[in-house]
Amino acid sequence: MKRYELIAPCHFGMESVLKREIDDLGYDIAEVEDGRVTFYGDEEAVCRGNVFLRTAERILIKVGSFTAETYEELFQGTKALPWEEYIPVDGKFWVAKAASVKSKLFSPSDIQSIMKKAMVERLKGIYHVNWFAEDGESFPIRVFIMKDKVTVGLDTTGDSLHKRGYRKLTAKAPIAENLAASLIMLTPWRGDRILVDPFCGSGTFPIEAAMMAANMAPGMNREFSAMNWDHIVGKRLWYDTLDEAAEMVDLSVETDIQGYDIDDKMVSIARENAKLAGVDKLIHFQKRGVDQLSHPKKYGFIITNPPYGERLQEQSEMPALYRTIGERYKALDSWSMYLITAYENAEQDIGKKADKNRKIYNGMMKTYYYQFMGPKPPKRN
């Protein structure tokens, strides 16, 4: 099998979680940078990365890298890459996204256009044609330019990996599935522990937690671009990986995962999404306000994405809401609480300083992940 350098982008601040996931899959890490982890793997790693990684956004095959400070250098550097190893004569190819940071070349549209021309020039010489029909399979390219170093990747994923396939209906401000999974994985929560999300919205936190508890791979019910690239990744490898994922699922696990929302409609949406994910039997959803948050047992976890007060009419309600969160948390004996929010006075209104506070970008919005840690439960005999 061929050995590739594979790039897995992720949310900024979540690189350590993704690195741990890749380590657990058994692949060697090449580099950890802001917003992505590079690792080594063969064709099977392309399949397993797409199917099993909960916190990545996509899996790219690194085509190459070079330095470019001018558009001529960008053209020549792109033209020198071995595109014929990946793109057949009828392939549809384009630069789907270009990102540039601290570099002399910064216009995404110009970068995309020049790189496409360079790819065409290279492939014209290889395939001895002057025009490409591009009526075959799709080969989207993604490029990052950091301090004039150009890194080029072939996107094996297609739609971002956060699209697991279960969330047909969403809340007003849904949290991405891969970010929700990352945030859960930053906590000591495990499938046999209590988890409550009192602002569950469309159910993302409880559903991701239930999938973890049942050992259900996040990508086992969707398709990927590279499934049609038989010359790069054979169909048999995809079938074997999906069989491996199916064999690992255990829906007989005992769980105590709950999702509350004050809106009846959101509770219905969350239930429907959990059903589509195949974990509805592992989660209890109900209509309930945060002021009714309670649980008879100790050592549980609150993991949640409460309102931020982004809208002007909501801002005046935030202090009272966060005071209520603080009061209900205080009443829960020995619990831990993890919440992501952009609301600046969260700690002040909750009435407690977080043990840890991590800055995370949720899309383009700067948010904080406040971590209030309860005591560890006594060890079981």
Side-chain angles (χ1 to χ4, degrees):
M1 282 194 176
K2 186 168 180 178
R3 191 171 192 243
Y4 293 111
E5 211 172 330
L6 301 172
I7 304 167
C10 62
H11 282 85
F12 283 98
M14 293 302 166
E15 300 84 2
S16 62
V17 187
L18 176 55
K19 178 182 179 291
R20 189 169 77 229
E21 276 203 285
I22 294 168
D23 278 335
D24 289 346
L25 281 181
Y27 300 114
D28 294 330
I29 304 293
E31 192 173 15
V32 179
E33 302 167 272
D34 285 346
R36 64 184 186 267
V37 178
T38 305
F39 63 103
Y40 296 108
D42 54 17
E43 297 99 311
E44 185 182 59
V46 172
C47 305
R48 297 184 77 235
N50 275 301
V51 171
F52 288 109
L53 291 177
R54 298 183 191 280
T55 61
E57 290 182 354
R58 57 189 68 250
I59 303 296
L60 310 174
I61 295 173
K62 183 175 175 181
V63 180
S65 61
F66 55 89
T67 299
E69 296 183 3
T70 66
Y71 284 116
E72 178 60 23
E73 288 174 346
L74 179 67
F75 182 92
Q76 295 301 337
T78 304
K79 188 180 174 186
L81 297 175
W83 293 108
E84 64 279 3
E85 292 181 15
Y86 306 99
I87 301 170
V89 68
D90 65 344
K92 180 183 178 184
F93 57 98
W94 74 102
V95 179
K97 187 172 182 182
S100 175
V101 179
K102 298 178 182 174
S103 300
K104 293 178 180 65
L105 305 179
F106 56 83
S107 165
S109 57
D110 289 339
I111 292 165
Q112 289 167 301
S113 172
I114 283 158
M115 290 185 71
K116 168 77 178 195
K117 286 175 185 171
M119 292 162 70
V120 167
E121 282 303 304
R122 166 89 182 197
L123 293 175
K124 273 165 67 174
I126 298 290
Y127 292 128
H128 308 293
V129 295
N130 288 318
W131 181 78
F132 292 93
E134 297 197 48
D135 54 2
E137 296 301 336
S138 294
F139 295 85
I141 312 299
R142 290 185 168 241
V143 57
F144 315 96
I145 307 180
M146 168 64 83
K147 295 180 181 175
D148 303 318
K149 183 187 175 187
V150 184
T151 302
V152 186
L154 180 64
D155 181 9
T156 71
T157 302
D159 285 341
S160 170
L161 289 176
H162 82 267
K163 295 186 177 178
R164 321 288 207 211
Y166 67 74
R167 201 163 73 180
K168 304 298 183 190
L169 303 160
T170 61
K172 277 186 299 186
I175 191 163
E177 294 89 328
N178 59 342
L179 178 55
S182 302
L183 296 174
I184 295 169
M185 291 167 76
L186 279 173
T187 79
W189 180 83
R190 295 294 176 267
D192 59 348
R193 307 279 298 273
I194 304 159
L195 187 151
V196 176
D197 179 358
F199 300 94
C200 74
S202 52
T204 310
F205 274 125
I207 293 169
E208 289 294 319
M211 289 173 73
M212 289 179 198
N215 212 13
M216 184 180 287
M220 62 185 291
N221 293 314
R222 54 158 288 172
E223 295 184 346
F224 307 98
S225 295
M227 281 180 159
N228 298 313
W229 301 352
D230 292 351
H231 62 297
I232 297 176
V233 187
K235 283 272 198 295
R236 172 49 54 195
L237 288 174
W238 287 106
Y239 296 145
D240 289 347
T241 302
L242 292 170
D243 285 346
E244 179 189 357
E247 286 168 10
M248 290 169 63
V249 177
D250 179 9
L251 291 170
S252 68
V253 291
E254 298 265 330
T255 58
D256 188 347
I257 300 171
Q258 301 181 31
Y260 309 152
D261 203 280
I262 201 164
D263 184 342
D264 255 335
K265 185 181 174 188
M266 290 319 306
V267 174
S268 297
I269 286 172
R271 283 191 184 121
E272 185 59 29
N273 287 341
K275 195 173 181 181
L276 287 167
V279 292
D280 49 312
K281 291 182 173 61
L282 302 180
I283 309 169
H284 175 65
F285 289 109
Q286 63 174 295
K287 181 186 176 183
R288 190 195 278 202
V290 69
D291 58 319
Q292 297 176 288
L293 174 58
S294 65
H295 199 288
K297 294 183 180 175
K298 290 185 173 188
Y299 306 112
F301 287 76
I302 299 166
I303 304 180
T304 193
N305 175 34
Y308 305 166
E310 310 99 293
R311 299 180 182 181
L312 280 173
Q313 65 268 33
E314 294 173 346
Q315 287 176 6
S316 61
E317 301 168 8
M318 291 303 103
L321 177 67
Y322 281 78
R323 278 197 298 272
T324 302
I325 293 171
E327 288 162 6
R328 296 320 306 153
Y329 173 54
K330 191 176 179 183
L332 287 163
D333 186 18
S334 306
W335 278 50
S336 300
M337 178 167 70
Y338 297 79
L339 58 88
I340 181 171
T341 181
Y343 178 54
E344 296 286 348
N345 294 330
E347 286 175 304
Q348 177 186 313
D349 291 335
I350 285 169
K352 184 176 172 66
K353 186 165 175 57
D355 296 292
K356 284 188 181 178
N357 176 11
R358 184 186 284 245
K359 190 195 303 180
I360 290 164
Y361 280 87
N362 184 4
M364 296 305 291
M365 184 183 288
K366 184 173 72 173
T367 63
Y368 297 94
Y369 193 42
Y370 294 103
Q371 303 167 58
F372 302 89
M373 298 174 185
K376 290 181 181 178
K379 286 190 176 177
R380 295 172 184 170
N381 292 329

